[in-house]
Every structure is written in C-alpha cells, then in structure tokens.
Amino acid sequence: MRTIILPRRRALALAAAGWTALAVDRTIAAEESAAYVVDVSDVTVKVGEPAVMLATARVRDGYRILTAYNNRVIRLSSYDDGVIFDNDMVPAKVDDRALVFPVGLRAVKPGTHPINGLLRVGYIHGTDEMAMVSMRLIASVTAKD
C-alpha cells in the first residue's frame, strides 16, 4: 500500500473545492422549490411605454402560502440595461392558491432584453414545516420602435 502525501496548500485547495461544490449544489437545490411552480410572462412593448410583466408562483398540492411572510421579487435586472424597473422590490398579491407579482417596467432601447430577478417566498407544509425559499425569475422583454 502506498501513502500519498500532498503538500499542505494543495490539500487545502482540494478541500476548499469540495466544499465549494457542495455549496453550489445546495444553492441550486434552494432555487427549485417543491412548494411552488413559477410562471413568468414575456413582454412585448414599444420603447418608452410602460408595461407590466406578471410572475405567478402557484402553490402545489399539500402546501400553503405563508401569507405572514414578505413574499416578494427582488434583484430585478436587465442583462444589457435595455429595461428599467418601476421598483426595486415588488410585493406579492395573494390570489387564491397563487402569489402574483406585477412587475412594472419600461424598455429604453429596441431589441430583446433578457431580464432576471429573485422571488423570495414562504410556504407551509403539513403542520410542522415552514420555510422561505428563493427561486429565479427569468424572462425577456422585446421592445420595438
């Protein structure tokens, strides 16, 4: 049997890489929620005119919306700065078994602009599980002159 001795720096780097991989896997899992299905409408608008993009998070069977939580969309951004948003944070409106987020926006240049944000929502499952999760909001805004 042969023993391999790694230099201390290399061993620490390998350990850090392993922890980073675990953290990445955990982040990806956090963005996918067993409690909600997210639907986001792409928007087509004339440059300069106001528009509303609707994002809807529907709660799955067996789950309930945690209405006491500040369910919201945050960190809205446009990949190419072709879209500006009315607000930095958009609170949810509860509609039956769904959270609806009306995201006000305005396209500032023509073309198709990828946008994203982060939904922060809470849910209740059964009698003893309550959680807050993050899910990605990904859509596009197409602007015409």
Side-chain angles (χ1 to χ4, degrees):
M1 184 165 154
R2 193 171 143 194
T3 304
I4 298 174
I5 299 174
L6 296 173
R8 182 179 167 100
R9 286 185 182 162
R10 186 167 179 204
L12 288 174
L14 288 173
W19 283 110
T20 302
L22 288 174
V24 169
D25 288 345
R26 193 171 176 168
T27 301
I28 291 168
E31 291 173 345
E32 298 173 2
S33 172
Y36 287 97
V37 175
V38 177
D39 181 40
V40 181
S41 64
D42 289 340
V43 176
T44 300
V45 66
K46 193 171 183 176
V47 172
E49 289 186 359
V52 175
M53 177 188 65
L54 288 178
T56 305
R58 296 188 194 292
V59 71
R60 296 179 193 264
D61 289 339
Y63 292 86
R64 293 177 289 150
I65 296 169
L66 181 58
T67 56
Y69 183 66
N70 180 18
N71 297 294
R72 65 204 182 277
V73 171
I74 57 174
R75 295 188 181 170
L76 290 161
S77 64
S78 170
Y79 174 72
D80 60 359
D81 296 325
V83 176
I84 56 174
F85 300 93
D86 293 350
N87 299 297
D88 293 333
M89 189 272 301
V90 178
K93 296 179 180 179
V94 179
D95 182 21
D96 194 27
R97 293 182 45 83
L99 296 169
V100 179
F101 305 89
V103 179
L105 55 87
R106 186 180 314 261
V108 293
K109 57 185 176 182
T112 299
H113 311 287
I115 62 169
N116 63 53
L118 191 65
L119 290 115
R120 288 288 301 157
V121 297
Y123 68 83
I124 301 168
H125 185 243
T127 59
D128 61 349
E129 181 185 358
M130 178 174 61
M132 285 63 71
V133 295
S134 296
M135 298 178 293
R136 288 189 256 182
L137 177 151
I138 299 172
S140 64
V141 174
T142 302
K144 299 179 181 185
D145 281 328

